[in-house]
Amino acid sequence: MLALASASGLEAQAVGDRVRASLADRTMVGEVTAVSEHGLQLGHEDGESSLLFADLVKLERSVGRKSAWIEGYLVGATLLVYPGIQLIRICVDDPSMGDNAVLTIFCMIFLIAPGATLVCAGVLVTGPIGAIVGAFIRTDVWEQVTVPGPQVPPPLLLPPVHSFERPRLELGLRIAVW
């Protein structure tokens, strides 16, 4: 079992792998250009860096790329669906809706119909456009890998202590009276 874990850890740092190396103070993304028993050489946009395994907080390898078409569809549809729903809610939430025929006809013609049109346009037009745009946006899928040797734990960040402030618990109660 130990041999398998160390073999998979060394396999992850093969020359040519795209990795994201996290140190205590920064994170670098690049391609592994050389590997030794003590560390690796990482080529990135700022040049090349030598990283020791002992200095790494986390090492991740890119296992592929995924497109963001679902997120694109949601963003595209939301552009028109949300305003359409808000137009419809203006009339539905009005307490005098249905009491006054003129107000009801006004709401149906000028708010509910355009609101329904916006909802349909968002689902059928801008949603698919967003999905097409999202299909061209590709991001890496990262898998954490083990590295040989001990790793430095991330720094522990504690909030500042103020001697005059005490933690307090706030409770509220709301009573409705008709």
Side-chain angles (χ1 to χ4, degrees):
M1 183 73 167
L2 182 60
L4 179 64
S6 68
S8 67
L10 291 174
E11 178 184 323
Q13 292 91 36
V15 173
D17 279 351
R18 183 169 166 75
V19 297
R20 178 167 56 187
S22 298
L23 302 167
D25 59 343
R26 63 192 159 127
T27 300
M28 294 184 285
V29 176
E31 186 175 309
V32 177
T33 57
V35 180
S36 72
E37 63 185 45
H38 300 293
L40 55 93
Q41 192 79 16
L42 184 67
H44 49 89
E45 68 255 0
D46 296 336
E48 219 169 271
S49 299
S50 296
L51 304 174
L52 296 175
F53 290 132
D55 293 339
L56 292 175
V57 174
K58 182 167 48 168
L59 183 66
E60 298 166 300
R61 176 179 56 139
S62 176
V63 292
R65 295 178 65 88
K66 69 174 186 130
S67 65
W69 70 271
I70 293 174
E71 294 87 349
Y73 179 84
L74 292 175
V75 169
T78 305
L79 289 175
L80 294 180
V81 169
Y82 181 75
I85 290 173
Q86 291 301 4
L87 281 177
I88 294 170
R89 284 188 60 202
I90 290 172
C91 284
V92 173
D93 291 345
D94 189 359
S96 63
M97 177 72 170
D99 294 340
N100 186 343
V102 175
L103 178 65
T104 303
I105 292 172
F106 176 81
C107 274
M108 295 293 255
I109 293 173
F110 293 107
L111 295 177
I112 292 179
T117 303
L118 284 176
V119 169
C120 292
V123 171
L124 299 174
V125 178
T126 58
I129 290 171
I132 291 169
V133 170
F136 289 106
I137 298 172
R138 311 222 11 116
T139 58
D140 285 309
V141 177
W142 300 102
E143 171 186 72
Q144 187 167 352
V145 295
T146 57
V147 292
Q151 277 69 54
V152 177
L156 182 62
L157 300 175
L158 297 175
V161 177
H162 301 285
S163 60
F164 298 111
E165 292 182 15
R166 292 186 185 170
R168 60 180 181 232
L169 176 65
E170 295 180 14
L171 296 175
L173 178 64
R174 181 183 292 182
I175 300 173
V177 180
W178 287 279

